Amino acid sequence: AQTVTQSQPEMSVQEAETVTLSCTYDTSESDYYLFWYKQPPSRQMILVIRQEAYKQQNATENRFSVNFQKAAKSFSLKISDSQLGDAAMYFCAYRGYNTDKLIFGTGTRLQVFP
Amino acid sequence: GAVVSQHPSWVICKSGTSVKIECRSLDFQATTMFWYRQFPKQSLMLMATSNEGSKATYEQGVEKDKFLINHASLTLSTLTVTSAHPEDSSFYICSASVSGGPYEQYFGPGTRLTVT
């Protein structure tokens, strides 16, 4: 069975600085999708970024980028120029190629200090 | 972008009663809808997956008779918590997706259920 591990329960960063959130996963599949979701205090889940496993190029979305290491089964999220609005829970998620189900990690709470 | 709504956003019910939560995809047709439960400061736990017109598939350990899911159309799924008990108090989140491909799940804003 696939698993997703987020080893950092909490992280903090100074405004305008860069922070990296870690995520590792375990799977025997070769094709799959990886996601980072943000859950602010409102608890609305928001997709931050998506990576298809067959793509070697790391996904980027404005200030958010990932470091996808398929062989190491690692999928970290880098937030550049952190803003106060980035403070939230961040969940890493895995989805197999032939399924719609998401497997979530335990989450990392990010605090942003002015 | 794709929008999913949930109603109500917060509900309080008495122990022993039933409560229904609606999940609607507002601007797309969702072939699959998912129901999650989230305890404070924890991750999302998938309860069940439903496809329009067919029975829901429940995750191991989720009581089918307690958590009734109906996916009557491509835009509406409902979760009914039957004979609610205080331990059913939680935050319930639905999501919707179009099956296949790299399509993401679009999440509703969640429903806070408090059973007194």
Side-chain angles (χ1 to χ4, degrees):
Chain A
Q2 294 83 15
T3 58
V4 178
T5 301
Q6 293 179 251
S7 58
Q8 306 156 316
E10 291 190 4
M11 292 284 285
S12 61
V13 63
Q14 205 83 24
E15 201 175 4
E17 296 297 308
T18 296
V19 65
T20 299
L21 308 185
S22 300
C23 173
T24 58
Y25 58 94
D26 189 26
T27 183
S28 59
E29 297 177 311
S30 58
D31 291 325
Y32 47 87
Y33 306 96
L34 296 165
F35 305 84
W36 278 99
Y37 280 91
K38 170 185 178 181
Q39 188 179 42
S42 68
R43 302 190 79 169
Q44 170 73 60
M45 295 286 284
I46 302 165
L47 177 68
V48 175
I49 201 164
R50 169 178 56 220
Q51 174 81 42
E52 289 92 340
Y54 62 85
K55 290 186 177 179
Q56 293 186 341
Q57 187 171 7
N58 290 322
T60 62
E61 286 289 342
N62 300 313
R63 298 183 294 107
F64 299 88
S65 61
V66 297
N67 184 0
F68 172 49
Q69 301 289 328
K70 191 172 183 179
K73 297 179 182 174
S74 171
F75 183 60
S76 61
L77 174 69
K78 185 172 83 171
I79 306 174
S80 303
D81 186 25
S82 297
Q83 300 176 359
L84 295 177
D86 294 333
M89 279 291 288
Y90 286 82
F91 292 100
C92 178
Y94 170 99
R95 203 197 100 194
Y97 189 75
N98 292 313
T99 178
D100 294 324
K101 290 169 61 171
L102 286 173
I103 299 170
F104 285 94
T106 51
T108 296
R109 179 172 301 279
L110 177 66
Q111 293 181 304
V112 182
F113 294 103
Chain B
V3 179
V4 175
S5 69
Q6 274 185 250
H7 178 80
S9 56
W10 188 22
V11 58
I12 301 174
C13 70
K14 291 188 176 181
S15 188
T17 63
S18 296
V19 61
K20 180 184 287 187
I21 302 169
E22 290 188 350
C23 176
R24 293 181 184 272
S25 57
L26 299 185
D27 51 4
F28 69 102
Q29 293 187 324
T31 50
T32 307
M33 287 186 169
F34 305 84
W35 286 95
Y36 296 87
R37 185 173 180 176
Q38 186 179 32
F39 291 104
K41 298 185 179 181
Q42 293 190 23
S43 189
L44 281 70
M45 181 191 78
L46 180 65
M47 299 175 65
T49 303
S50 72
N51 293 291
E52 185 261 341
S54 60
K55 288 185 178 180
T57 301
Y58 291 82
E59 295 299 302
Q60 192 172 8
V62 177
E63 298 176 62
K64 301 177 183 181
D65 295 332
K66 167 168 271 301
F67 300 101
L68 300 179
I69 291 171
N70 183 275
H71 193 158
S73 74
L74 286 173
T75 59
L76 173 64
S77 177
T78 60
L79 167 68
T80 302
V81 183
T82 63
S83 186
H85 291 288
E87 56 264 31
D88 298 326
S89 298
S90 190
F91 194 70
Y92 292 88
I93 303 174
C94 76
S95 70
S97 73
V98 177
S99 292
Y103 302 110
E104 64 189 86
Q105 286 187 22
Y106 300 95
F107 286 83
T111 296
R112 181 178 302 282
L113 170 64
T114 301
V115 184
T116 60

